[in-house]
Short mmCIF file of all heavy atoms in Angstrom, two decimals:
data_model
loop_
_atom_site.label_atom_id
_atom_site.label_comp_id
_atom_site.label_asym_id
_atom_site.label_seq_id
_atom_site.Cartn_x
_atom_site.Cartn_y
_atom_site.Cartn_z
N SER A 127 -15.94 7.72 -12.84
CA SER A 127 -14.65 7.80 -13.55
C SER A 127 -13.48 7.23 -12.75
O SER A 127 -12.35 7.24 -13.22
CB SER A 127 -14.36 9.26 -13.93
OG SER A 127 -14.04 10.02 -12.77
N ILE A 128 -13.75 6.75 -11.52
CA ILE A 128 -12.63 6.28 -10.68
C ILE A 128 -11.93 5.09 -11.36
O ILE A 128 -10.72 5.11 -11.57
CB ILE A 128 -13.12 5.84 -9.28
CG1 ILE A 128 -13.74 7.03 -8.54
CG2 ILE A 128 -11.95 5.29 -8.46
CD1 ILE A 128 -14.44 6.62 -7.25
N ASP A 129 -12.73 4.08 -11.71
CA ASP A 129 -12.12 2.85 -12.21
C ASP A 129 -11.47 3.01 -13.58
O ASP A 129 -10.39 2.49 -13.82
CB ASP A 129 -13.21 1.78 -12.32
CG ASP A 129 -12.86 0.54 -11.55
OD1 ASP A 129 -12.24 0.69 -10.49
OD2 ASP A 129 -13.19 -0.56 -12.01
N ASP A 130 -12.14 3.73 -14.47
CA ASP A 130 -11.64 3.81 -15.84
C ASP A 130 -10.66 4.95 -16.03
O ASP A 130 -9.98 5.01 -17.06
CB ASP A 130 -12.81 4.03 -16.82
CG ASP A 130 -13.71 2.82 -16.87
OD1 ASP A 130 -13.22 1.72 -16.58
OD2 ASP A 130 -14.90 2.99 -17.17
N HIS A 131 -10.60 5.87 -15.09
CA HIS A 131 -9.75 7.03 -15.32
C HIS A 131 -8.82 7.31 -14.13
O HIS A 131 -7.61 7.20 -14.24
CB HIS A 131 -10.65 8.23 -15.65
CG HIS A 131 -9.86 9.46 -15.96
ND1 HIS A 131 -8.77 9.45 -16.81
CD2 HIS A 131 -9.98 10.73 -15.53
CE1 HIS A 131 -8.26 10.65 -16.88
NE2 HIS A 131 -8.96 11.45 -16.12
N ILE A 132 -9.42 7.63 -12.97
CA ILE A 132 -8.60 8.13 -11.86
C ILE A 132 -7.63 7.06 -11.36
O ILE A 132 -6.42 7.28 -11.31
CB ILE A 132 -9.50 8.63 -10.71
CG1 ILE A 132 -10.34 9.80 -11.21
CG2 ILE A 132 -8.66 9.02 -9.50
CD1 ILE A 132 -11.43 10.26 -10.28
N HIS A 133 -8.15 5.91 -11.00
CA HIS A 133 -7.25 4.87 -10.49
C HIS A 133 -6.32 4.35 -11.59
O HIS A 133 -5.23 3.85 -11.29
CB HIS A 133 -8.04 3.74 -9.83
CG HIS A 133 -8.44 4.05 -8.40
ND1 HIS A 133 -9.26 3.23 -7.65
CD2 HIS A 133 -8.13 5.08 -7.57
CE1 HIS A 133 -9.43 3.75 -6.43
NE2 HIS A 133 -8.75 4.88 -6.37
N VAL A 134 -6.72 4.50 -12.87
CA VAL A 134 -5.82 4.14 -13.98
C VAL A 134 -4.60 5.07 -13.98
O VAL A 134 -3.46 4.63 -14.13
CB VAL A 134 -6.57 4.22 -15.34
CG1 VAL A 134 -5.61 3.95 -16.49
CG2 VAL A 134 -7.73 3.24 -15.37
N GLU A 135 -4.87 6.38 -13.77
CA GLU A 135 -3.76 7.34 -13.72
C GLU A 135 -2.89 7.09 -12.49
O GLU A 135 -1.67 7.21 -12.54
CB GLU A 135 -4.31 8.78 -13.68
CG GLU A 135 -5.06 9.19 -14.94
CD GLU A 135 -4.17 9.12 -16.19
OE1 GLU A 135 -3.02 9.55 -16.13
OE2 GLU A 135 -4.65 8.60 -17.22
N VAL A 136 -3.56 6.75 -11.37
CA VAL A 136 -2.80 6.44 -10.14
C VAL A 136 -1.86 5.26 -10.42
O VAL A 136 -0.69 5.26 -10.05
CB VAL A 136 -3.76 6.11 -8.97
CG1 VAL A 136 -2.99 5.56 -7.78
CG2 VAL A 136 -4.57 7.34 -8.57
N ARG A 137 -2.37 4.26 -11.12
CA ARG A 137 -1.55 3.07 -11.42
C ARG A 137 -0.36 3.42 -12.31
O ARG A 137 0.71 2.85 -12.16
CB ARG A 137 -2.45 1.99 -12.04
CG ARG A 137 -1.76 0.94 -12.79
CD ARG A 137 -1.74 -0.48 -12.19
NE ARG A 137 -2.92 -0.89 -11.50
CZ ARG A 137 -2.91 -1.33 -10.24
NH1 ARG A 137 -1.80 -1.41 -9.56
NH2 ARG A 137 -4.02 -1.70 -9.66
N LYS A 138 -0.54 4.40 -13.24
CA LYS A 138 0.59 4.82 -14.08
C LYS A 138 1.68 5.47 -13.23
O LYS A 138 2.86 5.26 -13.44
CB LYS A 138 0.12 5.83 -15.15
CG LYS A 138 -0.67 5.20 -16.28
CD LYS A 138 -0.94 6.26 -17.35
CE LYS A 138 -2.12 5.88 -18.21
NZ LYS A 138 -2.73 7.03 -18.88
N LEU A 139 1.23 6.27 -12.26
CA LEU A 139 2.21 6.95 -11.39
C LEU A 139 2.88 5.96 -10.44
O LEU A 139 4.07 6.06 -10.17
CB LEU A 139 1.51 8.01 -10.54
CG LEU A 139 1.08 9.30 -11.22
CD1 LEU A 139 0.26 10.14 -10.24
CD2 LEU A 139 2.31 10.10 -11.65
N TYR A 140 2.06 5.04 -9.91
CA TYR A 140 2.55 4.08 -8.91
C TYR A 140 2.16 2.68 -9.35
O TYR A 140 1.10 2.17 -8.96
CB TYR A 140 1.91 4.34 -7.54
CG TYR A 140 1.97 5.76 -7.06
CD1 TYR A 140 0.81 6.52 -6.94
CD2 TYR A 140 3.19 6.34 -6.69
CE1 TYR A 140 0.86 7.83 -6.49
CE2 TYR A 140 3.24 7.64 -6.24
CZ TYR A 140 2.08 8.38 -6.14
OH TYR A 140 2.13 9.67 -5.68
N PRO A 141 3.01 2.03 -10.15
CA PRO A 141 2.63 0.70 -10.68
C PRO A 141 2.36 -0.33 -9.58
O PRO A 141 1.66 -1.30 -9.82
CB PRO A 141 3.85 0.30 -11.51
CG PRO A 141 4.56 1.58 -11.82
CD PRO A 141 4.29 2.49 -10.67
N ASP A 142 2.90 -0.11 -8.38
CA ASP A 142 2.69 -1.09 -7.32
C ASP A 142 1.50 -0.73 -6.42
O ASP A 142 1.32 -1.35 -5.37
CB ASP A 142 3.97 -1.26 -6.48
CG ASP A 142 4.48 0.08 -5.94
OD1 ASP A 142 3.89 1.13 -6.28
OD2 ASP A 142 5.46 0.07 -5.18
#
Side-chain angles (χ1 to χ4, degrees):
S127 71
I128 298 171
D129 236 35
D130 293 334
H131 183 46
I132 297 170
H133 278 174
V134 175
E135 295 300 317
V136 171
R137 161 111 36 235
K138 286 186 202 158
L139 285 173
Y140 310 112
D142 54 355

